Amino acid sequence: MRGIGDDVDMNIRRIDGTEAARLAQAWLSAHYAVEAGEDVPFTVDGPLAFRVGGTAPVIERCWPAARYLFITAWNPAAVLVPPRHNQLADARLQQQLRQLRLSMHPASACDAGGGCYERGWLVPQATTAQADRLARAFGQGGVLVWDAGQAVRLRMMWPPPPKAPAHRYIDWAG
């Protein structure tokens, strides 16, 4: 029997355009941070915040790479699940990242109101193809990706909603 986060496409739940747009807006306004651990070559006070649409020069200085990914395995298909499910999915995600030989740094996300907290990972050097495969394998409707020196982008795994206005920091992978 397969569980959350197994190496299969979790068939991200089909949602209507209104729900996709609502989730995109929530993720655009969410707060993200990565823990500066002992591997950082200089002193950093506290977690390093980043946001969709902003650049992340301190993060890029801490972990130089050409490309970055923020991903979580929590709450697949944008549905709240019990903490134990999130912990198991996160352990599987870590295993997948290790198998791909990608470094990972503890990170987190929370909604603009400070609730709906999720643990995740900053993954330097992950390709767009890897980001999409991991997002789909762990049932994630969206991940954050960016190239060094560029703005952080939200990559949604659903098609763009009908009549949705283009947003300069959203890519719809659909």
Side-chain angles (χ1 to χ4, degrees):
M1 172 182 242
R2 295 192 181 272
I4 292 172
D6 282 345
D7 300 338
V8 296
D9 184 337
M10 296 223 11
N11 297 318
I12 297 170
R13 115 179 126 96
R14 303 220 187 280
I15 60 172
D16 66 27
T18 303
E19 178 69 358
R22 185 193 70 74
L23 287 168
Q25 187 56 51
W27 294 334
L28 283 171
S29 61
H31 302 275
Y32 304 90
V34 60
E35 301 292 326
E38 295 174 8
D39 59 341
V40 175
F42 51 89
T43 303
V44 175
D45 293 327
L48 303 170
F50 59 104
R51 302 217 40 190
V52 174
T55 57
V58 178
I59 290 171
E60 293 171 14
R61 197 168 139 222
C62 289
W63 303 283
R67 187 151 182 83
Y68 298 85
L69 162 67
F70 167 79
I71 188 168
T72 179
W74 283 31
N75 301 320
V79 175
L80 295 175
V81 299
R84 182 72 180 135
H85 286 106
N86 285 331
Q87 293 163 354
L88 292 171
D90 183 64
R92 298 259 321 136
L93 174 58
Q94 290 179 60
Q95 179 184 28
Q96 285 291 308
L97 293 170
R98 283 191 297 275
Q99 286 176 351
L100 292 169
R101 296 193 170 131
L102 293 168
S103 65
M104 58 187 144
H105 307 281
S108 61
C110 69
D111 67 22
C116 199
Y117 174 86
E118 294 189 2
R119 295 287 302 161
W121 300 95
L122 175 73
V123 185
Q125 297 295 37
T127 67
T128 301
Q130 288 170 324
D132 288 355
R133 272 194 308 275
L134 288 165
R136 286 188 171 98
F138 288 89
Q140 297 303 303
V143 295
L144 303 186
V145 295
W146 74 96
D147 291 328
Q150 301 298 310
V152 175
R153 303 188 64 77
L154 173 59
R155 186 159 176 83
M156 298 292 291
M157 297 295 111
W158 294 291
K163 300 180 185 175
H167 189 286
R168 68 186 291 186
Y169 300 116
I170 298 178
D171 301 315
W172 298 88

